[in-house]
Each structure stands twice: as C-alpha cells, then as structure tokens.
Amino acid sequence: MPAKPMNDDPEGSAPSADENGAPVKAGGTPAGEATAEAGGTATPARGATAPDEAVTPLIRGITVLRELTEADGTLSLSGLERATRLARSTVDRITATLARMGYVRVDGRDVHLSPRLMELGNAYLAALRLPALLASRADALADELDESVSLAVADRDGIRFIHQATRRRAMSLSFRIGDLLPAERTAPGPLFATEWTASDWQRWRERRTADPRDLSFTAVPPRKYGADTRDDEMFVSRTREAAANGWAVDDQLIEPGLVAVSVPVRSPHTAGDHRPPACVASVVSHTSRHTAHSLRTTLLPRLRAAVTQMEQELDRTPPPPPGTPPSNLALWTGASKQRLGRDFIESLARGLTVLTAFGEDRPELTLTEVAQATGLARATARRALITYEHLDLVTPTGDRTFALTPRVLSLGFPPLSRTTLPDIAHPHLSDLTSRIHESTSLAVLSDSGEEIQYTARVATGRVLSVNITLGTRLPAYATALGRVLLSDRAVGRAEQAHTLTSVRSQGYALVDEELEEGLRSIAVPIRDRSGRVVAALNTAMHASRHSLRECVTDLLPELTTTATRIESDLHTAARFTHVPLT
C-alpha cells in the first residue's frame, strides 16, 4: 500500500488544537503540497494555474472525464462544450481520442462513459490492496448484521468509498464506489480528521467558505441554507470525541433518516506505536431500523470485532514483493495517431496510460519505472507525473517514488460501478446487429435452470423478424442460448448429456427449428473473470436467410468477436465491483 504520513503521538491520544480550536496532528506535510521528482513543482491549491511543464491536452482530457462523471456518465457534445468551456473542435478531438481508447462511446451527439475506463480506478484499488484484502470481511459483516457496510479512505478534506456491501431494500444505501463526501457530514470524517495537520484544517475551512452548501459534492444532497460556525464547531468537537473514543457516528448529517457508525482500520507495517487509519469501516442504516444510540449499543461491538479481524488480516499479509511493471503500454498510441491523424491526441492517450502502470505489486513507481512501463521517454513521463500531481491524481511517496491517490476514482468510477451486464452488452449488441443485419440477444439462466430470460436485445429492421421482448422466458434446452448456459453447468437429463457435452467442447450451440418451425439460432457463451459462463449471446433468424453452414462460417466469428468484447468490459467492471447479470 502507498506510504502514509507517520506520527509519533500515542494511539488514542487527543490531538492538540490550533489557534481556532481545531485538532491538529504534529508534523507531516499534506500530500497535496509535496513537490514532484525532477522538477520541484509544488501542487497548487484547487483552481490554481497549472505548472509550465504540465500537459495541457491531458488536463483537458481529465476535465472531460470528470464532467462526464459528474453528469452520471452521459453528456451531449454540446453539453460537454458548455461544462468544460472548451472549443467544440477540442471537445470533438478529446472524445475521439477517448473513444479510440475505449474509455467513452459516442452515440450520435451523446458521449457515454464506457466500462473500460474503470481500469484507471482499478489501478488505484489494486495498488491500495485494501479492497482485495478486506472486502470479503465487509461483505460477511453486512450479511451478519443485515445492514449496509462500507469501506472508505481519506481524500484530502473528504472521504471516498472503496467498497460497498449494500442490502437490497426499497430504502437502502445509494452511495457508489468512488463517491466523494465532505468529511464533516460523515461518520468516517472525524476519524480521518484526527490525523489532520494545521494546513489540512486551513484547507478545510477554505473549502467550507467557498462552498457552504456542499454543491461540489454531488453524491450528497446540498445543504439547504449553507454551513455556519456552529457546524464547524460541531465537526471540531466530533473529531475530538473520535480521537478519544476510537469510533464516530453520523446522526442524519448527510440527510434525514440516514445514520452510521464507523471504526478505523489501522495501518499495518508502520513504525512506532501510532497506526493511522488505512481505511474506515462503517455500518449504515436508517432511523426506522436503528437510531444513532442503538447503532452504538447494538452494532458497534460487532463492527469493532470485524475491524479487529480486518486489522489482523492486514498485519499477517506482507507487502507484495516488487513486481515487474508491464512494458510499452503506450506503444499502440503511435499506430492510433497514424490511423486517426489530427483527431487523435497522442499526448492525452499517453498520459492516461501512465496511470495503468501502477498495480497490486506496483503501488509505488519511480519516474524511471513509469517510463519503462509505458515505453515513454523520461521527459514525457515526467511531464505526465507533474500534470497528475497538479490534478491531485498522483502524489510523491518519498524515496523518489509516486503513488496514485483516491482521486483517480473520480474518473468515471462512481457511475460505472453500478453498471449491469445488460448495460455492458447493449452497445456491443447494437454494433453486432449493424454488421450482420440480424437481431441479437443476451440471456441468462433462471435459478431453476429450466428457463432462460432475455436481458438485452437489439432488433434489426426487417419485415420478417424474431419478435422477443426483454424479460421473455423460454425453455432452456430448446434454445441455443439455453444449451450454452446448461453446458457449463453440466446439467440436463441423460438424453441431453451428449448434446450439451458437444456444445461445451465446440464453444457454441446451433438450434435448427426445434423451438419453432422456421426459426434458426446460434449462440456463444459470455464468461466472467473466473471463466464461468454467466450469460449467452445469440442471433436468431428465419431458416431461409442463412444455411446451417453459413451460421457457422459467417455468423459464428462475428458472435465470438462480440462475446470477447463484452467479456473484456465485464472483466474490467467486475474486478472490484459486483456486476448484476440482470
């Protein structure tokens, strides 16, 4: 995990106060105020002018991604022009470059974030390691308590979620992985604030003055009237209580009815007695189920027990041995530039590739290692790192190394973290339908295993076409989709076993007029990250349009290509999030 500021104060001691009464930890420079390797450019405050060596196209590309994120993943080209205040020609070139990278999809005049963009947030979460190590324990606690459980990390004067185990109810938690919340309106906030320096408190006050209604935090309802000095004093008081108690409560500070209790998960492998929070675990409920008092008396002991197990997990897991970074990640950008010409902004693509050089066994990289991983010249990699430091996406960690910050999750992760398999598949189905001029569908197997359910579909414009609506259920074995799904589960009656074994070995199913006279269908599997078949993709048509041979020689390669693209997006999206199949 990235190095964190060290502090010599004993664990549990109350922090000292500055001249305004705010708790302060001694020593340590806020990460955002450190300087970059090989250049010494200090990270400016929010809104300050970029360093001379920053890469302007990269800054503009990040701005476009953040505006799309704030708009819940979709904006028109003209809307992006207004939101970013960039020229339309610049917006067009940026979106063309991002589309070439697979990070956005341009549909007419609208721009949509694509699941592949999540590889940037995945790089941060993998380097952090906390979701991989602690998510299963958070999920188990949510099952035990039948309440939502979250893990959050500090992001300057806010908190950002890195894992959510949400209960399915009519009224339930709606925060997403990557969402940013103001520290003072949350339960984790006071626990992180016990580590703040005087500079951190000053930055917090400046933000409160500039944004009294929290309009910049789109994941929470804005304050109706704005904050006042009493709110500031209450957060200072809550921080002191959190330092003394080792836990904190949110009693409807985000919105009426929402309550939460939080406990810090202490960092492992730190020198001295003080162990700052690696993250904070929270149990979240609403007042019809728990009051803030009952959270403390009923759920806090069980949360503390789970946190103890989390800390033990962190303690016994050694840091990963340094891995060999990938090489020449940016090699493809040259070919893209030749293909798209002026519409492809190579400096933007190369800069974004720098973020993907980090990972689980590469939480910190030197400038030289970044250059080697990307295949970029040291000067180019250095300018990208300076740009990211200015944007608070990368921070120096000492010993001439850099690490990603939680702010990388602001690049599309919140809206994309709630994507479903039909959402992922639909644009690929549209593309496939336009190529083969036949209707295409996605289906999953019912819990009983006896039926399939259609979850995504794109119809072609023909007079004679297959008429199936979303949600339609059909007998599994009678369909090509169902046979693909059944073949992976090795289920079916004895007389079906030979057919399903053949489907599994050849990788597709072809059904000829068995469900209905004149109807011919061919289907291929969609596999998750573990290799398990979770859905099937098919095309169906009247038997007169394609012979059985043509289905295999002409349609099957197109289906297989599309399935591979869907799987690639699914694997990226599902690395640290749960992707519902329906």
Side-chain angles (χ1 to χ4, degrees):
M1 283 172 284
K4 302 189 184 323
M6 310 279 281
N7 196 287
D8 293 328
D9 285 358
E11 181 178 359
S13 62
S16 59
D18 66 7
E19 66 276 11
N20 295 306
V24 173
K25 278 287 187 181
T29 302
E33 295 178 0
T35 57
E37 171 193 332
T41 306
T43 299
R46 182 181 289 117
T49 304
D52 291 339
E53 293 179 280
V55 184
T56 300
L58 184 54
I59 294 176
R60 291 172 173 172
I62 294 297
T63 300
V64 166
L65 290 175
R66 282 179 168 166
E67 290 297 340
L68 283 167
T69 302
E70 294 298 320
D72 208 30
T74 301
L75 265 179
S76 65
L77 288 165
S78 58
L80 271 176
E81 181 184 358
R82 291 190 297 269
T84 61
R85 299 181 182 179
L86 297 172
R88 176 58 180 270
S89 60
T90 302
V91 171
D92 289 343
R93 293 182 65 210
I94 290 173
T95 54
T97 302
L98 295 174
R100 175 66 176 170
M101 300 183 74
Y103 287 172
V104 304
R105 174 173 53 88
V106 181
D107 183 9
R109 297 183 177 181
D110 292 330
V111 182
H112 309 269
L113 295 178
S114 295
R116 186 174 177 181
L117 178 62
M118 296 177 74
E119 71 179 9
L120 303 183
N122 285 347
Y124 163 73
L125 293 173
L128 185 67
R129 299 183 74 209
L130 294 177
L133 295 174
L134 305 182
S136 61
R137 296 195 178 277
D139 295 344
L141 179 63
D143 291 339
E144 176 192 345
L145 302 181
D146 195 26
E147 299 289 354
S148 295
V149 174
S150 65
L151 301 176
V153 295
D155 188 347
R156 294 172 72 92
D157 57 357
I159 71 154
R160 201 176 289 271
F161 293 108
I162 59 170
H163 181 74
Q164 291 281 4
T166 305
R167 313 315 292 163
R168 289 189 175 184
R169 295 197 183 98
M171 183 177 294
S172 62
L173 182 71
S174 62
F175 294 125
R176 306 161 300 184
I177 297 176
D179 271 337
L180 178 69
L181 277 63
E184 67 276 7
R185 292 177 65 181
T186 69
L191 295 166
F192 288 123
T194 61
E195 302 293 319
W196 285 3
T197 64
S199 297
D200 296 324
W201 282 103
Q202 181 60 33
R203 183 171 55 236
W204 172 73
R205 292 191 189 91
E206 292 171 354
R207 187 261 295 169
R208 296 272 285 165
T209 300
D211 184 19
R213 296 187 58 206
D214 296 335
L215 297 178
S216 59
F217 295 90
T218 57
V220 297
R223 294 178 183 269
K224 189 172 182 179
Y225 300 108
D228 56 27
T229 55
R230 288 174 299 179
D231 296 312
D232 293 353
E233 293 169 357
M234 181 175 70
F235 183 57
V236 171
S237 176
R238 291 177 62 219
T239 300
R240 291 187 178 281
E241 292 175 358
N245 299 332
W247 52 266
V249 170
D250 164 16
D251 189 0
Q252 307 180 75
L253 294 173
I254 293 177
E255 67 175 51
L258 183 66
V259 291
V261 61
S262 297
V263 173
V265 181
R266 300 291 179 182
S267 296
H269 316 301
T270 54
D273 295 331
H274 178 68
R275 299 176 64 184
C279 65
V280 167
S282 304
V283 177
V284 186
S285 187
H286 52 82
T287 50
S288 60
R289 294 176 59 84
H290 286 281
T291 64
H293 175 73
S294 68
L295 280 181
R296 294 195 301 270
T297 57
T298 305
L299 302 188
L300 178 58
R302 294 152 86 180
L303 173 59
R304 277 179 152 166
V307 165
T308 297
Q309 294 178 332
M310 292 180 184
E311 291 178 339
Q312 291 171 348
E313 183 73 30
L314 295 182
D315 285 338
R316 64 173 169 258
T317 304
T324 302
S327 60
N328 292 325
L329 287 172
L331 186 63
W332 64 274
T333 59
S336 296
K337 182 64 174 178
Q338 290 182 350
R339 179 175 178 179
L340 298 183
R342 186 179 181 277
D343 288 337
F344 186 78
I345 307 174
E346 193 169 13
S347 58
L348 168 58
R350 287 178 168 179
L352 289 172
T353 301
V354 165
L355 298 179
T356 64
F358 295 83
E360 180 178 0
D361 55 355
R362 306 180 305 278
E364 300 177 6
L365 295 175
T366 65
L367 169 59
T368 298
E369 289 170 334
V370 170
Q372 291 173 344
T374 57
L376 300 176
R378 278 177 55 90
T380 303
R382 173 176 167 272
R383 291 189 64 199
L385 290 171
I386 289 174
T387 305
Y388 285 136
E389 191 178 354
H390 164 71
L391 297 173
D392 291 331
L393 296 171
V394 161
T395 184
T397 53
D399 197 24
R400 302 177 69 80
T401 57
F402 297 87
L404 302 181
T405 73
R407 198 145 297 195
V408 174
L409 294 174
S410 70
L411 305 181
F413 214 90
L416 291 172
S417 69
R418 291 290 177 87
T419 193
T420 66
L421 181 55
D423 294 334
I424 291 172
H426 193 272
H428 296 290
L429 296 185
S430 296
D431 184 53
L432 174 60
T433 297
S434 68
R435 295 199 310 270
I436 66 176
H437 308 291
E438 298 289 355
S439 299
T440 58
S441 303
L442 189 81
V444 298
L445 202 61
S446 67
D447 292 337
S448 68
E450 297 178 353
E451 295 178 311
I452 62 165
Q453 180 180 2
Y454 286 82
T455 58
R457 179 168 171 78
V458 174
T460 188
R462 287 183 178 272
V463 175
L464 180 62
S465 61
V466 180
N467 184 21
I468 295 176
T469 59
L470 293 183
T472 296
R473 290 179 176 241
L474 294 175
Y477 186 75
T479 66
L481 289 163
R483 290 184 185 179
V484 165
L485 292 163
L486 290 171
S487 68
D488 189 65
R489 295 193 177 189
V491 298
R493 293 182 297 272
E495 63 268 24
Q496 301 171 350
H498 176 73
T499 299
L500 295 179
T501 299
S502 178
V503 168
R504 184 165 58 251
S505 63
Q506 68 189 14
Y508 69 92
L510 179 57
V511 171
D512 185 27
E513 302 187 73
E514 295 183 38
L515 179 67
E516 182 177 319
E517 290 184 3
L519 180 63
R520 184 169 290 161
S521 174
I522 185 169
V524 296
I526 303 294
R527 300 180 183 275
D528 64 12
R529 291 178 60 87
S530 69
R532 182 173 62 98
V533 175
V534 294
L537 164 68
N538 90 323
T539 184
M541 77 295 294
H542 190 271
S544 64
R545 289 211 291 269
H546 293 279
S547 67
L548 292 175
R549 178 180 177 83
E550 288 171 341
C551 285
V552 175
T553 59
D554 298 343
L555 299 181
L556 179 58
E558 295 285 357
L559 286 169
T560 302
T561 297
T562 300
T564 299
R565 292 171 179 170
I566 294 173
E567 287 176 345
S568 177
D569 283 350
L570 173 61
H571 297 173
T572 299
R575 185 172 181 187
F576 292 106
T577 66
H578 170 67
V579 178
L581 301 182
T582 59

